[in-house]
Amino acid sequence: MNRDSPSGTALLADVGGTNARFAVLRDGAPGAVLHLPVAGYASFYDAAAAALERLGCSPVPQDAVLAFAGPVDGSRAVMTNVGWDTTLGELRRRFGFTHIRLLNDYAALALSLDHFTGDDTRAIGPAPAEPPGTRHGPLAVLGPGSGLGVGALIPAQPHPLPLVSEGGHATLAPCDDFESELFALLRREYSHVSAERLLSGPGLVNLYRTIAAVRKLPPERLDPAEITRRGLDYSDTLCRLALVQFCRLLGSFAGNVALTYGARGGVFLGGGILPRFPEFLAASDFRARFEDKGRFRAYLCAIPTLLISRQDAAFLGLAAAARQFS
C-alpha cells in the first residue's frame, strides 16, 4: 500500500465482540465512524483493509491506534471469542504503519473521560460534575455489555495514564437478605459469583432466572433485550424485578470501584446496556446503593456518577493517544 500519507493522520479502531469500528484522524480530530461486523471478516487485518478502502484512505495513514476487547500485551492483541490474533509485526508488514499502539478497549475509553463535554454524559445522582480538564483525582469507568469492563484514568504528566483491570471478575457480595437468597442459588451453579456473572447481558439473564427460582415461578427463555423491553414496559413482573436488581447491584459495585481507585473525579458508566434505559437507571436505587458504604458515605456522596451518552465515545481516547505520536 502507498505510504506517502500526510503527517498527522492515523487509523483509529475500536473492536468489540460484535462490531469493529474505524475512523481516520485528520487535523487532530477523528472523522466519521465506520461500523463493520466482526463476523464478516476472518481477521482484524481483513477488516482493517476493508475499512481503509471504504474510508477512502489512499494513501494509508502513517499511524494507527487500535483498541480490542481482549488481552493486549503491547505487541499483540488476542480476541479469543472471535479468533482474531493481531500483532504489531503483521500490521507493519501489511500496512506499513510508522507508529502503532495497541490498547485494551477500556484503556481507550478511559483516555476519553477527560475529553467529554456536558453533552457527552448524563448525571446519575446529585453530585456535581467538574468541567473536563479541571477534575481532581482519578476517574473511573465501568460498563456492562457482553462482559463487564472496568478501568480508570490516573492523573500524570505529560499525559494521564489509563489503567485497565479485570475488576469485572472480582467477587460480588450480597447487601441484603433477598440478595443473599439469590447468591446462595448462584453459588450452586457457579463456584465463584463475580460481578460480571450478574452485571452484563448474560448476567441480566442470570438475574432473571435466579429471581424466578427464589420466587418459585417458571422463567421463560428470554434474551437480555427482551428482559429489558418487558421490564421497561411493566409487562412482566420478573423482568421488572431483574432490571431493578440489576441497577441496585450495579450501584454497589460502582461504589466499590470508586473506593478502590479513589475516583474522586467521577465514575463513568459505559457499555451497551445502560444507554437503553437512562431514565430507569436515574430513577432506580443505583445512586443510593453507590453511596451506601457506611463510614464512607460522605466520601461517595461527593463523587459524581455519569452515564456516557456519546456514541463511539472511545474515539476521543483513541484520538488523544494518536496525537501523542506527534
Side-chain angles (χ1 to χ4, degrees), residues 16-18 38 69-71 78-84 146-147 196:
T18 303
V38 167
V78 179
M79 298 184 67
T80 306
N81 290 340
V82 297
W84 285 8
S146 56
E196 187 174 279

PDB file of all heavy atoms in Angstrom, residues 16-18 38 69-71 78-84 146-147 196:
ATOM      1  N   GLY A  16     -14.927  -4.586  19.204  1.00  0.00           N
ATOM      2  CA  GLY A  16     -15.633  -5.368  20.204  1.00  0.00           C
ATOM      3  C   GLY A  16     -15.953  -6.756  19.678  1.00  0.00           C
ATOM      4  O   GLY A  16     -15.513  -7.155  18.599  1.00  0.00           O
ATOM      5  N   GLY A  17     -16.741  -7.496  20.439  1.00  0.00           N
ATOM      6  CA  GLY A  17     -17.071  -8.854  20.036  1.00  0.00           C
ATOM      7  C   GLY A  17     -18.039  -8.924  18.882  1.00  0.00           C
ATOM      8  O   GLY A  17     -18.088  -9.929  18.174  1.00  0.00           O
ATOM      9  N   THR A  18     -18.795  -7.837  18.647  1.00  0.00           N
ATOM     10  CA  THR A  18     -19.795  -7.828  17.577  1.00  0.00           C
ATOM     11  C   THR A  18     -19.411  -6.906  16.434  1.00  0.00           C
ATOM     12  O   THR A  18     -19.538  -7.277  15.265  1.00  0.00           O
ATOM     13  CB  THR A  18     -21.168  -7.394  18.139  1.00  0.00           C
ATOM     14  OG1 THR A  18     -21.532  -8.281  19.205  1.00  0.00           O
ATOM     15  CG2 THR A  18     -22.229  -7.433  17.064  1.00  0.00           C
ATOM     16  N   VAL A  38     -17.910  -7.923  12.966  1.00  0.00           N
ATOM     17  CA  VAL A  38     -16.745  -8.778  13.207  1.00  0.00           C
ATOM     18  C   VAL A  38     -16.935 -10.132  12.529  1.00  0.00           C
ATOM     19  O   VAL A  38     -15.986 -10.704  11.965  1.00  0.00           O
ATOM     20  CB  VAL A  38     -16.519  -8.931  14.727  1.00  0.00           C
ATOM     21  CG1 VAL A  38     -15.540 -10.058  15.019  1.00  0.00           C
ATOM     22  CG2 VAL A  38     -16.015  -7.621  15.317  1.00  0.00           C
ATOM     23  N   ALA A  69     -11.287  -5.552  22.524  1.00  0.00           N
ATOM     24  CA  ALA A  69     -11.941  -6.108  23.708  1.00  0.00           C
ATOM     25  C   ALA A  69     -11.331  -7.469  24.001  1.00  0.00           C
ATOM     26  O   ALA A  69     -11.860  -8.509  23.623  1.00  0.00           O
ATOM     27  CB  ALA A  69     -13.446  -6.231  23.480  1.00  0.00           C
ATOM     28  N   GLY A  70     -10.182  -7.436  24.654  1.00  0.00           N
ATOM     29  CA  GLY A  70      -9.461  -8.656  24.967  1.00  0.00           C
ATOM     30  C   GLY A  70      -8.086  -8.325  25.491  1.00  0.00           C
ATOM     31  O   GLY A  70      -7.698  -7.154  25.559  1.00  0.00           O
ATOM     32  N   PRO A  71      -7.316  -9.336  25.867  1.00  0.00           N
ATOM     33  CA  PRO A  71      -5.977  -9.101  26.410  1.00  0.00           C
ATOM     34  C   PRO A  71      -5.049  -8.461  25.384  1.00  0.00           C
ATOM     35  O   PRO A  71      -4.987  -8.883  24.229  1.00  0.00           O
ATOM     36  CB  PRO A  71      -5.492 -10.510  26.773  1.00  0.00           C
ATOM     37  CG  PRO A  71      -6.730 -11.337  26.866  1.00  0.00           C
ATOM     38  CD  PRO A  71      -7.692 -10.759  25.873  1.00  0.00           C
ATOM     39  N   VAL A  78      -5.272 -10.357  21.438  1.00  0.00           N
ATOM     40  CA  VAL A  78      -5.925 -11.633  21.173  1.00  0.00           C
ATOM     41  C   VAL A  78      -7.396 -11.524  21.563  1.00  0.00           C
ATOM     42  O   VAL A  78      -7.722 -11.148  22.690  1.00  0.00           O
ATOM     43  CB  VAL A  78      -5.270 -12.776  21.970  1.00  0.00           C
ATOM     44  CG1 VAL A  78      -5.992 -14.089  21.691  1.00  0.00           C
ATOM     45  CG2 VAL A  78      -3.796 -12.889  21.621  1.00  0.00           C
ATOM     46  N   MET A  79      -8.265 -11.831  20.609  1.00  0.00           N
ATOM     47  CA  MET A  79      -9.701 -11.862  20.873  1.00  0.00           C
ATOM     48  C   MET A  79     -10.155 -13.306  20.762  1.00  0.00           C
ATOM     49  O   MET A  79     -10.461 -13.802  19.669  1.00  0.00           O
ATOM     50  CB  MET A  79     -10.449 -10.956  19.897  1.00  0.00           C
ATOM     51  CG  MET A  79     -10.050  -9.493  20.001  1.00  0.00           C
ATOM     52  SD  MET A  79     -11.027  -8.437  18.911  1.00  0.00           S
ATOM     53  CE  MET A  79     -12.643  -8.563  19.674  1.00  0.00           C
ATOM     54  N   THR A  80     -10.174 -13.987  21.897  1.00  0.00           N
ATOM     55  CA  THR A  80     -10.396 -15.425  21.915  1.00  0.00           C
ATOM     56  C   THR A  80     -11.739 -15.811  21.316  1.00  0.00           C
ATOM     57  O   THR A  80     -11.843 -16.765  20.534  1.00  0.00           O
ATOM     58  CB  THR A  80     -10.308 -15.939  23.364  1.00  0.00           C
ATOM     59  OG1 THR A  80      -9.068 -15.524  23.927  1.00  0.00           O
ATOM     60  CG2 THR A  80     -10.406 -17.448  23.393  1.00  0.00           C
ATOM     61  N   ASN A  81     -12.789 -15.060  21.654  1.00  0.00           N
ATOM     62  CA  ASN A  81     -14.133 -15.463  21.252  1.00  0.00           C
ATOM     63  C   ASN A  81     -14.362 -15.392  19.747  1.00  0.00           C
ATOM     64  O   ASN A  81     -15.215 -16.096  19.219  1.00  0.00           O
ATOM     65  CB  ASN A  81     -15.175 -14.590  21.962  1.00  0.00           C
ATOM     66  CG  ASN A  81     -15.248 -14.879  23.445  1.00  0.00           C
ATOM     67  OD1 ASN A  81     -14.820 -15.943  23.889  1.00  0.00           O
ATOM     68  ND2 ASN A  81     -15.757 -13.944  24.208  1.00  0.00           N
ATOM     69  N   VAL A  82     -13.612 -14.521  19.052  1.00  0.00           N
ATOM     70  CA  VAL A  82     -13.806 -14.404  17.610  1.00  0.00           C
ATOM     71  C   VAL A  82     -12.600 -14.899  16.818  1.00  0.00           C
ATOM     72  O   VAL A  82     -12.603 -14.849  15.595  1.00  0.00           O
ATOM     73  CB  VAL A  82     -14.133 -12.942  17.215  1.00  0.00           C
ATOM     74  CG1 VAL A  82     -15.442 -12.513  17.848  1.00  0.00           C
ATOM     75  CG2 VAL A  82     -13.012 -11.993  17.599  1.00  0.00           C
ATOM     76  N   GLY A  83     -11.571 -15.358  17.520  1.00  0.00           N
ATOM     77  CA  GLY A  83     -10.434 -15.945  16.833  1.00  0.00           C
ATOM     78  C   GLY A  83      -9.490 -14.961  16.171  1.00  0.00           C
ATOM     79  O   GLY A  83      -8.672 -15.350  15.335  1.00  0.00           O
ATOM     80  N   TRP A  84      -9.574 -13.675  16.516  1.00  0.00           N
ATOM     81  CA  TRP A  84      -8.673 -12.685  15.930  1.00  0.00           C
ATOM     82  C   TRP A  84      -7.419 -12.558  16.789  1.00  0.00           C
ATOM     83  O   TRP A  84      -7.488 -12.337  18.003  1.00  0.00           O
ATOM     84  CB  TRP A  84      -9.352 -11.321  15.837  1.00  0.00           C
ATOM     85  CG  TRP A  84     -10.375 -11.211  14.743  1.00  0.00           C
ATOM     86  CD1 TRP A  84     -10.855 -12.216  13.965  1.00  0.00           C
ATOM     87  CD2 TRP A  84     -11.025 -10.010  14.311  1.00  0.00           C
ATOM     88  NE1 TRP A  84     -11.779 -11.734  13.074  1.00  0.00           N
ATOM     89  CE2 TRP A  84     -11.902 -10.375  13.259  1.00  0.00           C
ATOM     90  CE3 TRP A  84     -10.955  -8.678  14.701  1.00  0.00           C
ATOM     91  CZ2 TRP A  84     -12.698  -9.450  12.596  1.00  0.00           C
ATOM     92  CZ3 TRP A  84     -11.757  -7.761  14.050  1.00  0.00           C
ATOM     93  CH2 TRP A  84     -12.614  -8.132  13.003  1.00  0.00           C
ATOM     94  N   SER A 146     -21.470  -7.281  26.820  1.00  0.00           N
ATOM     95  CA  SER A 146     -21.326  -8.730  26.738  1.00  0.00           C
ATOM     96  C   SER A 146     -20.531  -9.261  27.923  1.00  0.00           C
ATOM     97  O   SER A 146     -20.664 -10.409  28.324  1.00  0.00           O
ATOM     98  CB  SER A 146     -20.646  -9.133  25.425  1.00  0.00           C
ATOM     99  OG  SER A 146     -19.399  -8.485  25.298  1.00  0.00           O
ATOM    100  N   GLY A 147     -19.686  -8.401  28.499  1.00  0.00           N
ATOM    101  CA  GLY A 147     -18.983  -8.655  29.750  1.00  0.00           C
ATOM    102  C   GLY A 147     -19.105  -7.423  30.621  1.00  0.00           C
ATOM    103  O   GLY A 147     -20.016  -6.616  30.456  1.00  0.00           O
ATOM    104  N   GLU A 196     -19.315  -9.787  36.924  1.00  0.00           N
ATOM    105  CA  GLU A 196     -19.728  -9.999  35.541  1.00  0.00           C
ATOM    106  C   GLU A 196     -20.819 -11.055  35.410  1.00  0.00           C
ATOM    107  O   GLU A 196     -21.605 -11.024  34.451  1.00  0.00           O
ATOM    108  CB  GLU A 196     -18.509 -10.391  34.698  1.00  0.00           C
ATOM    109  CG  GLU A 196     -18.795 -10.480  33.214  1.00  0.00           C
ATOM    110  CD  GLU A 196     -17.544 -10.730  32.392  1.00  0.00           C
ATOM    111  OE1 GLU A 196     -16.812  -9.763  32.128  1.00  0.00           O
ATOM    112  OE2 GLU A 196     -17.296 -11.906  32.037  1.00  0.00           O
TER     113      GLU A 196
END
